[in-house]
Amino acid sequence: MGQRSSKRSLEKVHSIPHFQFSLNDEQDSRRPSIYSAIDTVPQLDFYINATATGRLRRSRPSLEVLRKAADVHPTQDGAKAGRNTAAQPVRFGWVTGVMIRCMLNIWGVIMFLRLSWITSQAGILLTWLIILMSVAVTSITALSVSAISTNGKVYSGGAYFMISRTLGPELGGPIGLVFSFANALACALNTVGFAETVRDLLKEYNAVIVDPVNDVRIVGVATVTMLLLISLAGMEWESKTQVLFFAILMVSFVNYIVGTFIPPTPQKQAMGFFGYNGEIFVTNLMPDWRGPEGDFFQMFAIFFPSAIGILSGANICGDLKDPEKAIPKGTLSAIFWTTVSYLGISSTVGACVLRDASGSLNDSISVNGSSNQTCNYGIFRSPENNPSCKPQILTMVSGFGPLITAGIFSATLSSALAFMVSAPKVFQCLCRDNIYPYIGFFGKGYGKNQEPLRAYVLTYFIAVAFILIAELNVIAPLISNFFLCSYALINFSCFHASITNSPGWRPSFRYYSRWTALFGAVISVVLMFLLTWWAALVTFSLIFFLLGYVTYKKPAVNWGSSMQAGTYNMALSYSVSLSGVEDHVKNFRPQCLVLTGPPNVRPALVDFVSSFTKNISLMICGDILMDNDKSVVPQHNTEALVKWLNRRKVRSFYTPFAGASLREGTHSLLQATGLGKLKPNTLVMGFKTNWQECTPHSLEDYITTVNDTFDLNYGVCILRMMDGLDISEEIECEVKCFTFTTDDAASDEVPNEQTRTVFQTKQGKKTIDVYWISDDGGLTLLVPYLLTRRKRWRQSKVRVFIVGDQQNMEQQRKEMVSLLRKFRLDVHDVIVMTDSERPPLSKNMKRFEETLEPFRLKDGLKEEAAVQELRKDCPWKVSDKELESLKPKSEKKVRLNEIIRRNSKHAALVLVSLPVPRTDCPSVLYMAWLDTLTGGLHCPALLIRGNQQNVLTFYCQ
C-alpha cells in the first residue's frame, strides 16, 4: 500500500463530521496529520504507525465506529471537517462555568434557615469549627479533583470520569451510577425545599391550593418541569439562569449585611436583635446545647450537606473551554468565597442577636444603670415551651425581608437546576462507556453541545417520583452519604495514582499531597458513619454489589488506571522479594512452558495444562517461529491470541519467539522466559504424531529438544490425544483473521466461538491411571493430585500402578499405600504389576518392528565401509546392531503398552513415566518407544518425568 492508498485512507477519515486535521507534516504538506483527530477520540483504540514515506500501517476500526466516536467527542472549535460544518458549541470559562455554579450549589436553604440556629446551639467558636471541618473535607477533595483534572484532557462525566479513568471501571462504574442517582435525588430535595417555602408563604396569606401535602407536590412538579425546560433549552440558557440566581443571592447578602447596621426597631428588639454589641458577641461565643439535637455531631450533620456542591463545575467539564484550568481555579475560588460568607453570617448573627426572645413587647425589662447584661440590652425572656423565631432570623435582621425570601428561592432553584444538569451529564458518560447493560439508550447526545436529552427526561421522571412522595426525610441521609462516598473515592484516586509512582501521573496542578488525599478519603468514610450509620451501610452495600457485577463482567476497556500501575508495582515488588527466598519442597509448583504454537491451534494442550496450573502456578504458552516460516507475529496478532486465552479463562502468558529450529527456540525460551523465581521448571509438549512422515531433521530436532530439556534440569511432559492436538485445518477461518489486512471489515480478534475439548467437560467417576515405573522426584504423582482438585476432575479416582513381583506383591502394595498416605495424596487404589517382565505378544512385537522397518539400515550382511557410507548418508536410521542391543528395552515398552491397554480401557487419563533419551539410542528408535507406550489408547495419555528434584515431602520443615 503506497502513498496513494494512504491518502485514500486519510480521505475517509477526513470526511467524518466534527474531526479537524492540521497540515503539519514537513515532508509532505499535502498529507494531513491525523493526530489532531486522535486527540478528540481518547477512548478509540488506534494502532497507527506513520512512516516517513507517509504510509499508514494500522489495524483500524470501521468508519461507523469513527463516526460514533466523532459524535461522542466533537471538536471544540467548531471548524469545518471535510465537507461538513459543525455548529460552534457553547463553552464556559472558569467564572460562569465553575465558580458561580459551585457557589450556587454550595449555598442553600441551610444557610438561610439553619445556620443561625446552629450558631445559637454551638456558639460562634464551635460553629466556626464545624464550618472549617466541613471546608477542610471539601478543600482536600477539591485539591484532589484539581490534580486529577490536570493530569490529561478531561471530557464530560465529572466525578465519574475522574474516578473511572483513575481507578478503573470496577470502582468508576458503581460510583457513576450512584452519583448520577444522588444528583437526581438532590434535585428532588431542593425542589421540595422550594415547594415547602412557597407553601408556607401561601399559608401566611391563607391561600391553599388543595392541602399542605398536595400543595408541595403540585408546586414541586411544576417547578421541576420548569427546570427541565430550561435544561432542554441548552446550556447557554441554563447558564444565564444561574447568573440571574447568583445576582439575586448577591443582592440578598448585601441586604442582610446592610440590615445588621440599621438600628433595630422595638419589634426587632422584641425578637432579640440589638445590632452589633461586644457583650452579646462574648455571650454567644460558647455553646448552649438544648433539645435532643443539642450536640456537636448533630450540628455538624445538619450543616455538612451545605458544603457538598463542589463538583458542580467538574460535572459539566465537557462544556468548559479549558477544564484543566477552570476546574481548579473555579472550585477553589468557590470554596473560599462561600467559606467567607458562612463565617461572616455566623459571626454577625452571634454579635447582633440574643439566644432567647419571646417576640412580645410586654416582656421587655429595662433597668437603667444596671450592670446586668439582661437589663442593659432588654433581653426578652421566653418560657421553655415557647418556640423561638430564630429560623427566620436572617429575614428579621435584613434591611428588606422579602429579598431574603428571594435569596431562599434562588438558592433552592439554583441547586435544583445544577443537579438537574449534572445528573444527565454524568449518566451520559457512564452510558457511553457500556459498563452496564440496557442503559446505552440514554447516552445519545443532541445538538452542538451533545446534550443528553434522553437522560434529562430520565432525571426528570426520577425527580418527579420522589417529589410526589413529599416525605424525603428517610432518603435525604442517603444523598449526603452518596456524595461523601464520591469524595472518598476521588481522594483515594488521587492518593493511589500518586503512591503507585506511575510515569503517567503528571498533573500540572502541584498544590496537593498524597497524604492529605488519603486523609480526605478516610475522614469522608468516617463522616459517613458518624452522620448516618445505616445510610453508610446501604451506600457501601450498593457500591459493593455494583463493583461485583463489573468485576465479574470485565468490560473491555483500558483507561490506564492507577489500579494497573498498582498491580505492576505489587508484582514487581513481590517478584524481587521472592528472588531472595530459597526454594523449598513444600512450595514446589509445576511452572510450565507449553509449546503450543498459536494457542488456539492446540486448545486441548492449553486446557490440559491450565487444569492443574490455574490459580496455582505459572503457565507460559510458547510459540516458536521458525525461520523458514518467514513470519513475524504482528503486535495485533499477539493481542488477539491473549484475548483468546482470556475468553477461554486460561491464566497464561503468551510468548512468541523467533528461532532457527524447535531445539534452538525451546533452549532460548527455557533460559530466558520468566522473572526471578517465576520461571518454568517443566516443559510441556505435544506428541509428534507425524514422526513417520516428517523429515529426518524435524524428528531429530524434536528428540534433541527433549534431551536438552533434561540436560537443563527441567521436567518434561508430552501429551498425546487419540485424534491429535493440532486443529489448524478446522479453524482455518480463524487463522485467516490473524492475517494483517487494511480492509475496513477486517478484525484483529479471534472469533468468539471456542472449540471445546475433552478437558472442558466433567470426567465423572472415571479413573486417572498413573504408571509409576521409575522415581522422578514425585512430579508424576503431584500432577494427578492437582487435577483432582478441579471441579471437572473431582469425582475421578487415582490409581497407581507399580512394578513388583508375585511373591512380595502384598507387602509392596502396603508399603506404597503407606508412602502415599504420608505424602497426603488421595489415591483410590495401588496395583502391583507382577507380569511386566514377561515377553510381549509376538504380534505386538512384530507390529513394532514393522513400524521401524522404513528406518532400518539393514547392515547385517554388508561390509564395514558400506555401513559407514550408509550411516553418513542416513544418520537417523537404526542399525541392526543398535536394534539388537536395545531389544530388551523395546520389549519392555511393548509389554507395558499391553498392560496399559488392558487395565486402562475406561480411564479418563493415563500417565506413564517418560523414558530418558540415551546417547546410544537413535532418535527414530526413541520415538518408536514413545509411540508404542501410548499407542492404542482411547483416552489422553501423558508421558511425564520430573528432573529428579523432590517435589513431595511428608515433613513439616
Side-chain angles (χ1 to χ4, degrees):
M1 186 175 69
Q3 178 78 10
R4 190 179 307 168
S5 177
S6 173
K7 288 183 178 180
R8 283 199 301 267
S9 300
L10 283 172
E11 287 171 359
K12 292 181 180 179
V13 180
H14 191 66
S15 63
I16 298 170
H18 307 301
F19 277 90
Q20 180 186 7
F21 296 88
S22 59
L23 302 177
N24 55 3
D25 194 294
E26 295 180 0
Q27 298 185 4
D28 188 356
S29 61
R30 295 172 298 172
R31 182 174 64 89
S33 171
I34 66 172
Y35 296 107
S36 58
I38 297 174
D39 290 340
T40 66
V41 192
Q43 284 87 10
L44 198 57
D45 290 331
F46 272 95
Y47 301 100
I48 298 177
N49 184 10
T51 62
T53 61
R55 183 175 300 172
L56 289 180
R57 293 183 293 126
R58 62 173 178 161
S59 169
R60 68 179 184 271
S62 62
L63 291 177
E64 288 75 12
V65 176
L66 285 171
R67 290 190 181 98
K68 183 178 180 181
D71 188 53
V72 172
H73 299 292
T75 54
Q76 295 188 5
D77 56 4
K80 290 184 178 180
R83 290 172 296 180
N84 297 322
T85 303
Q88 183 176 0
V90 178
R91 304 296 181 193
F92 305 107
W94 70 273
V95 176
T96 58
V98 181
M99 188 185 76
I100 291 179
R101 189 175 299 273
C102 288
M103 292 177 70
L104 288 172
N105 223 12
I106 293 173
W107 285 327
V109 292
I110 291 178
M111 178 182 65
F112 289 98
L113 302 181
R114 288 293 182 268
L115 184 57
S116 58
W117 176 71
I118 293 173
T119 305
S120 69
Q121 289 268 9
I124 297 175
L125 294 180
L126 290 185
T127 301
W128 278 35
L129 180 61
I130 290 172
I131 295 172
L132 294 177
M133 284 177 58
S134 303
V135 170
V137 176
T138 56
S139 297
I140 292 173
T141 306
L143 294 177
S144 300
V145 169
S146 301
I148 297 173
S149 63
T150 57
N151 189 54
K153 192 171 183 59
V154 179
Y155 293 91
S156 61
Y160 160 71
F161 186 91
M162 297 178 188
I163 295 173
S164 61
R165 270 53 176 181
T166 306
L167 291 180
E170 290 79 10
L171 283 174
I175 203 63
L177 202 58
V178 169
F179 190 67
S180 301
F181 187 66
N183 275 272
L185 291 188
C187 176
L189 276 178
N190 282 275
T191 304
V192 168
F194 170 78
E196 289 180 348
T197 305
V198 173
R199 178 198 61 187
D200 295 339
L201 285 176
L202 292 176
K203 281 184 178 181
E204 292 182 8
Y205 295 97
N206 296 322
V208 177
I209 303 175
V210 179
D211 56 64
V213 175
N214 286 314
D215 286 359
V216 172
R217 293 170 177 168
I218 294 172
V219 175
V221 172
T223 303
V224 79
T225 304
M226 178 192 69
L227 297 179
L228 173 66
L229 295 177
I230 295 175
S231 303
L232 294 178
M235 289 298 298
E236 187 174 5
W237 282 96
E238 187 269 346
S239 178
K240 292 177 180 179
T241 306
Q242 293 286 32
V243 171
L244 175 62
F245 288 148
F246 182 76
I248 295 174
L249 275 172
M250 290 297 100
V251 172
S252 66
F253 283 148
V254 172
N255 173 53
Y256 165 76
I257 297 299
V258 171
T260 59
F261 291 98
I262 298 176
T265 62
Q267 288 78 11
K268 290 186 177 182
Q269 289 182 357
M271 298 179 68
F273 173 51
F274 288 86
Y276 290 103
N277 189 281
E279 294 188 28
I280 295 178
F281 180 77
V282 172
T283 302
N284 289 336
L285 283 176
M286 305 310 294
D288 184 10
W289 306 115
R290 300 180 188 181
E293 297 180 341
D295 65 73
F296 180 80
F297 283 106
Q298 285 289 339
M299 295 299 108
F300 181 83
I302 293 172
F303 175 79
F304 184 77
S306 66
I308 63 175
I310 62 170
L311 296 179
S312 299
N315 287 338
I316 63 161
C317 52
D319 298 302
L320 301 176
K321 292 179 180 177
D322 190 355
E324 292 81 1
K325 293 181 180 180
I327 292 175
K329 195 173 181 180
T331 304
L332 294 175
S333 299
I335 292 176
F336 173 77
W337 289 114
T338 52
T339 302
V340 170
S341 65
Y342 283 144
L343 295 176
I345 291 175
S346 61
S347 58
T348 53
V349 166
C352 298
V353 184
L354 293 171
R355 279 196 172 97
D356 297 299
S358 65
S360 174
L361 294 173
N362 298 328
D363 292 337
S364 178
I365 301 174
S366 179
V367 181
N368 295 328
S370 171
S371 61
N372 191 325
Q373 176 191 350
T374 306
C375 300
N376 286 339
Y377 299 102
I379 275 195
F380 298 91
R381 309 175 192 275
S382 61
E384 293 296 329
N385 59 357
N386 188 17
S388 174
C389 298
K390 293 300 183 288
Q392 289 82 25
I393 196 67
L394 296 188
T395 304
M396 176 193 67
V397 174
S398 65
F400 184 61
L403 285 179
I404 299 298
T405 303
I408 295 175
F409 287 173
S410 297
T412 53
L413 291 177
S414 62
S415 297
L417 182 58
F419 287 125
M420 171 64 78
V421 172
S422 297
K425 293 285 186 180
V426 175
F427 192 62
Q428 181 189 36
C429 185
L430 176 65
C431 294
R432 285 178 165 175
D433 287 338
N434 294 320
I435 295 178
Y436 295 104
Y438 312 120
I439 62 174
F441 172 80
F442 299 100
K444 183 175 178 57
Y446 295 87
K448 56 187 179 183
N449 275 59
Q450 289 295 295
E451 296 292 343
L453 302 185
R454 297 174 180 177
Y456 277 131
V457 175
L458 177 64
T459 303
Y460 169 77
F461 282 112
I462 294 175
V464 168
F466 284 94
I467 288 171
L468 294 178
I469 295 174
E471 289 292 337
L472 301 178
N473 293 333
V474 178
I475 304 298
L478 282 175
I479 299 175
S480 296
N481 274 271
F482 286 163
F483 280 101
L484 277 172
C485 186
S486 302
Y487 294 168
L489 284 177
I490 289 175
N491 284 304
F492 182 75
S493 300
C494 182
F495 165 75
H496 196 268
S498 302
I499 204 69
T500 54
N501 296 320
S502 173
W505 175 251
R506 302 184 303 274
S508 58
F509 183 83
R510 302 294 184 182
Y511 305 104
Y512 75 98
S513 169
R514 64 181 65 173
W515 304 116
T516 56
L518 178 62
F519 172 76
V522 172
I523 200 64
S524 296
V525 174
V526 171
L527 287 175
M528 289 177 66
F529 285 93
L530 287 179
L531 296 182
T532 317
W533 64 268
W534 64 265
L537 291 178
V538 171
T539 303
F540 279 113
S541 299
L542 184 59
I543 292 293
F544 285 133
F545 172 77
L546 297 173
L547 171 65
Y549 175 83
V550 179
T551 304
Y552 174 76
K553 296 299 289 185
K554 293 182 176 59
V557 295
N558 183 11
W559 295 324
S561 67
S562 63
M563 288 297 183
Q564 296 173 352
T567 303
Y568 174 85
N569 284 350
M570 291 175 61
L572 182 62
S573 176
Y574 289 150
S575 298
V576 172
S577 62
L578 191 63
S579 300
V581 179
E582 294 185 6
D583 293 330
H584 195 280
V585 61
K586 290 197 302 182
N587 291 326
F588 176 85
R589 299 163 185 261
Q591 303 185 132
C592 301
L593 171 62
V594 192
L595 299 184
T596 60
N600 67 316
V601 175
R602 295 175 178 84
L605 185 59
V606 173
D607 293 338
F608 172 71
V609 179
S610 176
S611 297
F612 63 87
T613 60
K614 187 175 182 180
N615 298 327
I616 295 175
S617 59
L618 177 68
M619 176 180 174
I620 300 175
C621 292
D623 184 5
I624 300 174
L625 309 172
M626 308 295 185
D627 287 347
N628 54 8
D629 291 344
K630 298 181 180 180
S631 63
V632 178
V633 177
Q635 179 67 26
H636 64 278
N637 285 6
T638 300
E639 293 174 355
L641 291 172
V642 172
K643 290 179 180 178
W644 183 89
L645 290 170
N646 293 335
R647 284 198 301 269
R648 207 172 183 86
K649 298 182 179 179
V650 174
R651 298 172 66 91
S652 173
F653 297 97
Y654 169 69
T655 304
F657 187 85
S661 63
L662 177 67
R663 180 184 184 183
E664 178 186 319
T666 304
H667 193 274
S668 300
L669 279 175
L670 286 173
Q671 296 183 89
T673 304
L675 183 67
K677 294 296 176 67
L678 296 176
K679 60 185 302 182
N681 53 30
T682 304
L683 177 69
V684 183
M685 311 168 62
F687 184 81
K688 193 172 183 63
T689 55
N690 65 338
W691 67 274
Q692 299 182 59
E693 294 84 16
C694 68
T695 62
H697 174 75
S698 176
L699 179 60
E700 185 72 18
D701 192 27
Y702 183 83
I703 300 302
T704 52
T705 298
V706 176
N707 200 16
D708 289 350
T709 304
F710 282 123
D711 291 341
L712 291 171
N713 202 28
Y714 285 81
V716 177
C717 298
I718 300 178
L719 180 66
R720 182 176 187 180
M721 301 285 291
M722 179 178 62
D723 298 326
L725 293 170
D726 194 335
I727 61 168
S728 57
E729 294 181 359
E730 300 177 18
I731 58 170
E732 183 178 356
C733 59
E734 295 182 13
V735 175
K736 289 180 179 179
C737 295
F738 294 158
T739 305
F740 180 75
T741 179
T742 58
D743 294 337
D744 289 334
S747 172
D748 293 333
E749 297 186 0
V750 180
N752 290 328
E753 296 183 1
Q754 296 279 342
T755 304
R756 292 190 61 83
T757 65
V758 65
F759 301 110
Q760 291 183 313
T761 60
K762 288 187 177 181
Q763 303 301 319
K765 296 183 179 181
K766 296 180 181 180
T767 61
I768 300 176
D769 293 345
V770 181
Y771 291 84
W772 199 19
I773 308 304
S774 58
D775 183 15
D776 62 346
L779 182 63
T780 306
L781 296 174
L782 181 61
V783 169
Y785 165 73
L786 295 177
L787 283 173
T788 55
R789 294 175 61 181
R790 295 297 178 189
K791 185 177 180 180
R792 296 188 179 98
W793 297 83
R794 192 163 295 165
Q795 294 181 345
S796 300
K797 307 297 182 181
V798 178
R799 299 191 301 176
V800 177
F801 294 80
I802 60 174
V803 178
D805 55 76
Q806 187 68 33
Q807 295 178 350
N808 302 317
M809 181 179 66
E810 192 61 30
Q811 180 64 27
Q812 292 171 345
R813 181 182 180 280
K814 290 181 179 179
E815 290 178 355
M816 179 56 64
V817 170
S818 176
L819 178 64
L820 294 175
R821 285 178 178 173
K822 290 181 179 179
F823 285 139
R824 302 172 304 283
L825 297 174
D826 186 14
V827 175
H828 177 67
D829 194 10
V830 175
I831 301 172
V832 181
M833 299 181 296
T834 59
D835 56 350
S836 60
E837 298 299 327
R838 294 179 184 178
L841 297 177
S842 57
K843 63 176 183 179
N844 294 329
M845 196 63 198
K846 184 179 180 181
R847 187 183 302 113
F848 174 78
E849 292 174 353
E850 290 175 352
T851 302
L852 283 177
E853 186 67 23
F855 304 98
R856 294 181 59 179
L857 281 175
K858 299 178 182 181
D859 56 340
L861 302 177
K862 297 180 180 179
E863 297 181 358
E864 184 65 24
V867 172
Q868 293 297 329
E869 187 66 24
L870 287 172
R871 171 76 64 183
K872 182 179 179 181
D873 295 337
C874 305
W876 63 89
K877 290 193 174 182
V878 184
S879 66
D880 294 345
K881 182 179 179 180
E882 291 171 335
L883 186 62
E884 187 64 27
S885 63
L886 295 173
K887 185 175 182 179
K889 291 187 175 296
S890 299
E891 291 179 344
K892 285 185 178 181
K893 304 299 185 292
V894 176
R895 177 57 186 163
L896 182 57
N897 176 255
E898 293 175 354
I899 297 174
I900 294 173
R901 286 190 293 169
R902 184 183 69 232
N903 295 323
S904 303
K905 291 181 180 179
H906 306 292
L909 177 67
V910 173
L911 290 89
V912 187
S913 294
L914 174 69
V916 179
R918 298 165 55 98
T919 56
D920 60 343
C921 179
S923 299
V924 171
L925 181 57
Y926 180 77
M927 196 67 212
W929 286 353
L930 302 186
D931 188 25
T932 299
L933 278 172
T934 57
L937 300 179
H938 298 283
C939 65
L942 182 69
L943 294 162
I944 179 171
R945 193 179 191 92
N947 59 357
Q948 306 303 317
Q949 174 188 352
N950 290 329
V951 301
L952 298 173
T953 181
F954 44 78
Y955 296 107
C956 295
Q957 60 182 14

